[in-house]
Amino acid sequence: MPSLIIAEHNGCTLLPSTRATVTAAKYIDDDIHLLVMGDGIATLAHLACQISGVAAVFMVDAPILGHLLAENVEQQISTFLQQQETTYQAILFPASTFGKNCAPRLAAKLDVFQISDITAVIDPQTFERPIYAGNAVATVRSEDKIKVITVRPTAFEPAVDGGNARVEHIEAISGTKQAEFISQQVTQNSRPDLQAAKIIVSGGRALGSASAFAEVVEKLADTLGAAVGASRAAVDAGYAPNDYQIGQTGKIVAPQLYIALGISGAIQHIAGMKESAVVVAINKDPDAPIFAAADYGLVADLFAAVPELIEKLPSRH
Ligand SMILES: Cc1cc2nc3c(=O)[nH]c(=O)nc-3n(C[C@H](O)[C@H](O)[C@H](O)COP(=O)(O)OP(=O)(O)OC[C@H]3O[C@@H](n4cnc5c(N)ncnc54)[C@H](O)[C@@H]3O)c2cc1C
């Protein structure tokens, strides 16, 4: 029985989280369909059909889906499921802001349990997911006829190109009146996307102010061509925007290099970055728990160490 993946995209391209979700779905069944919703997304069809392992791509291109409001996304998926002759055994979303927003609504509508943030597929009914801020792994089994699943993108390699799926255009819903798009403020950021970045420089409470955060953390990130992250304490104090937060209640990242500046290493923060290939920590407290998670640790005052580091690094500009 096929699985249906709800694609995440930015209007121009499919995000790596979609490709990682395809890989996860392959462990359930190699019959995989992709549903791509949005407005002005015609160019995504030829990208989607090339993903290796995808057998069918369903495109819904309509203004009502322009901002992918969860209410409309759920209604579109529910309508699609009713209209299709195919019975899906699983519907998978990336465990991203988009997926976390939409999947629970669909699961409630279908009256099934949501299986959240899976990191492994044991068999089509059985999955692994981290619990207790990543300190334990739960094995969960679901007998639901249709499973609504969110997939942790960093746990699966993104599926590569090489497929040749058929593409079908389907009719859009008229839309629900429950929610309406009013406006949005898009953060202008020339840096790499946090969840796809190879290098992340992250700052904590020790920075003490938004200006110091910019002067130290962002400057080092610019020198390295890195994305910027933050601890919750730094976000709560207003030193960094909310979408920089890494951890249990923030983003889960797995870069090749993670540099933690003035971050103590609380379990809730570690939960978001422990899959990083190499972790470097600078902290003035030699007993800070972050050092237990670090491959390289420097006991130093970051306000002295980081400018020195920046000076020694070749600038990318
Ligand atoms: C339910 C729940 C969910 C949470 N989710 C998250 C989450 O998603 N992400 C997250 O990050 N946190 C999360 N937290 C909060 C978490 O428990 C910590 O409070 C938080 O991570 C601490 O942030 P911090 O390391 O920046 O600050 P602190 O713990 O205050 O650490 C600051 C560190 O900076 C060091 N330092 C100070 N000055 C300097 C200097 N000049 N040079 C070098 N080092 C210096 C200190 O030695 C210290 O180790 C959550 C908590 C709860 C209860």
Side-chain angles (χ1 to χ4, degrees):
M1 245 195 285
S3 298
L4 180 69
I5 291 168
I6 310 303
E8 180 171 31
H9 60 83
N10 60 10
C12 305
T13 192
L14 294 162
L15 298 188
S17 56
T18 300
R19 292 177 178 271
T21 306
V22 170
T23 303
K26 284 181 189 170
Y27 293 104
I28 298 175
D29 192 299
D30 53 15
D31 193 0
I32 296 169
H33 296 179
L34 199 63
L35 177 60
V36 191
M37 292 169 273
D39 182 23
I41 53 161
T43 53
L44 295 182
H46 87 275
L47 296 175
C49 71
Q50 286 174 36
I51 300 179
S52 164
V54 175
V57 174
F58 297 95
M59 299 289 303
V60 206
D61 194 343
I64 190 72
L65 295 165
H67 299 285
L68 292 174
L69 297 178
E71 291 78 2
N72 290 335
V73 167
E74 175 275 305
Q75 201 183 74
Q76 183 68 63
I77 301 169
S78 298
T79 309
F80 172 79
L81 294 176
Q82 282 159 17
Q83 289 169 350
Q84 287 297 304
E85 284 164 14
T86 315
T87 305
Y88 290 101
Q89 62 169 320
I91 302 176
L92 298 100
F93 297 75
S96 57
T97 308
F98 164 72
K100 288 177 187 173
N101 192 20
C102 300
R105 191 169 278 274
L106 181 69
K109 199 60 179 276
L110 297 173
D111 197 19
V112 297
F113 283 104
Q114 178 178 308
I115 306 162
S116 302
D117 208 18
I118 64 160
T119 50
V121 178
I122 309 291
D123 64 43
Q125 271 81 39
T126 319
F127 309 90
E128 283 184 0
R129 56 180 301 266
I131 54 169
Y132 302 131
N135 284 316
V137 176
T139 302
V140 292
R141 186 172 170 82
S142 167
E143 303 290 342
D144 280 330
K145 279 208 177 68
I146 184 161
K147 291 164 195 62
V148 174
I149 297 169
T150 64
V151 174
R152 182 176 285 202
T154 53
F156 298 90
E157 283 297 317
V160 293
D161 281 348
N164 185 21
R166 67 186 161 90
V167 178
E168 210 175 294
H169 293 268
I170 59 169
E171 214 174 296
I173 48 154
S174 55
T176 140
K177 300 274 178 289
Q178 286 173 302
E180 186 188 353
F181 175 79
I182 306 285
S183 69
Q184 68 182 358
Q185 282 179 296
V186 181
T187 314
Q188 297 299 334
N189 196 344
S190 55
R191 296 198 181 88
D193 175 56
L194 248 187
Q195 278 166 303
K198 289 194 166 63
I199 308 176
I200 295 175
V201 180
S202 218
R205 196 197 309 266
L207 273 304
S209 69
S211 57
F213 195 93
E215 187 53 34
V216 179
V217 182
E218 297 187 10
K219 203 165 169 191
L220 178 58
D222 289 342
T223 311
L224 293 168
V228 176
S231 71
R232 177 156 143 183
V235 169
D236 287 351
Y239 308 159
N242 197 280
D243 58 351
Y244 281 16
Q245 186 180 318
I246 289 169
Q248 185 187 341
T249 43
K251 290 186 173 142
I252 309 288
V253 297
Q256 286 168 12
L257 174 61
Y258 186 86
I259 304 178
L261 305 175
I263 292 177
S264 59
I267 52 164
Q268 295 90 353
H269 187 80
I270 302 288
M273 44 63 75
K274 69 177 179 188
E275 300 304 328
S276 307
V278 175
V279 176
V280 174
I282 302 180
N283 196 304
K284 68 178 184 183
D285 174 7
D287 297 323
I290 190 75
F291 288 129
D295 299 280
Y296 300 94
L298 179 63
V299 180
D301 182 338
L302 68 90
F303 293 104
V306 176
E308 206 180 318
L309 184 61
I310 292 171
E311 210 180 280
K312 291 195 170 137
L313 285 166
S315 174
R316 291 170 53 94
H317 299 291

